[in-house]
Amino acid sequence: ERLAYARDCMLAEAAQTPALSKVTSAGQGDAPQVLIDVDRKKALSMGVSIEDINRTLAVMFGSDYAGDFVYRNPVRRVIVPADGKQRVSVEQLGRMHVRNAAGAMVPLSAFTTTKWIVGPLQLDRYNGFPAMTITGSPAPGHSSGEAMAAMESIARGLPEGFGYEWTGQSFEERLSGAQAPALFALSILVVFLCAGGAVRELVDSGWR
C-alpha cells in the first residue's frame, strides 16, 4: 500500500511537470482477489503439510501435467484440474481435500478461511526490493535529459524509504552521459598526439 501511495504521488507530480509527457505506471492495477488464510498450527496438528496444501491448490485451480497416453496414434497429454463446476465459488474451495500424513483426506475448510480482497495482480521486485515500473517521455520542446532530471527531482521528494533506479535506454543514456568528460579528454589527447606526429614529420622532411 505504501508503494502504491508513493507511485500515485509521483504520477500526480509528473502530470503537473511541463517537461514530462505520458508518464504512467507500467504495472497492472489492483483487482479483486481471494485471500486464503491457512492456520498453520491447526493444519500441522492434523498431519497436513503446507507443501501439500500449496500443491493441492495449484493443481485444482491451475491444473498440472500428469503424463501422456496414446490414442489413435498421436500422443496426448493428461492435464489434471478440478472440474469447472467445482471451482466456481469461494465456498467450494473449502470442500476440496488434502491427504494428511496418515493417508486420510482432510477438507481445506478444517484449517483455512477465505475472504475477498483487492490487491495487485503481480508483485514486481528490483534487486530484491518491491518495485513498480514508471514509463514516460519528454514533452514537446524538451530533451530526454530535461525529462530525466525532472523525474529525479520528483523522486527526491518521495516519502522516506523509497528510491529509484534507471533501467533500459534511460540507464544507458545516464551511463554514456557520465562517460562524456572522459571521452572528451581522450579525444583531445588523440588529436594532440596526431598533431605532434604531423609536426615531427614536417621537421624530419625539412632536414632531409
Side-chain angles (χ1 to χ4, degrees), residues 129-145:
F129 294 98
M132 291 184 176
T133 302
I134 294 179
T135 62
S137 59
H142 295 271
S143 66
S144 59

Side-chain angles (χ1 to χ4, degrees), residues 16-94:
Q16 305 298 323
T17 304
L20 301 173
S21 174
K22 300 178 182 178
V23 179
T24 59
S25 175
Q28 296 177 320
D30 294 346
Q33 301 176 1
V34 176
L35 174 65
I36 305 174
D37 188 8
V38 179
D39 190 329
R40 294 173 178 263
K41 292 182 178 179
K42 186 180 291 187
L44 293 177
S45 68
M46 295 179 179
V48 180
S49 68
I50 303 301
E51 181 182 357
D52 288 337
I53 296 172
N54 292 335
R55 184 184 299 111
T56 298
L57 292 173
V59 172
M60 293 297 99
F61 285 89
S63 75
D64 191 22
Y65 168 72
D68 299 321
F69 74 100
V70 179
Y71 179 71
R72 295 181 180 178
N73 292 329
V75 178
R76 302 180 185 274
R77 297 166 62 90
V78 179
I79 306 297
V80 180
D83 187 47
K85 296 181 293 184
Q86 304 301 322
R87 48 192 173 102
V88 174
S89 65
V90 177
E91 291 74 19
Q92 291 172 329
L93 178 66

Side-chain angles (χ1 to χ4, degrees), residues 94-117:
R95 300 173 192 162
M96 295 185 178
H97 291 68
V98 183
R99 191 180 301 278
N100 66 5
M105 303 301 291
V106 182
L108 286 173
S109 59
F111 49 81
T112 62
T113 56
T114 58
K115 64 178 180 180
W116 284 97
I117 62 171

Side-chain angles (χ1 to χ4, degrees), residues 189-205:
L189 178 62
V190 171
V191 170
F192 175 77
L193 293 175
C194 292
V199 170
R200 185 170 62 253
E201 182 67 24
L202 289 174
V203 172
D204 291 343
S205 298

Side-chain angles (χ1 to χ4, degrees), residues 111-160:
F111 49 81
T112 62
T113 56
T114 58
K115 64 178 180 180
W116 284 97
I117 62 171
V118 176
L121 294 176
Q122 62 184 26
L123 298 175
D124 296 328
R125 289 186 174 272
Y126 182 81
N127 288 340
F129 294 98
M132 291 184 176
T133 302
I134 294 179
T135 62
S137 59
H142 295 271
S143 66
S144 59
E146 292 175 325
M148 293 174 68
M151 288 298 295
E152 290 174 348
S153 177
I154 296 173
R156 285 192 289 269
L158 289 173
E160 184 178 357

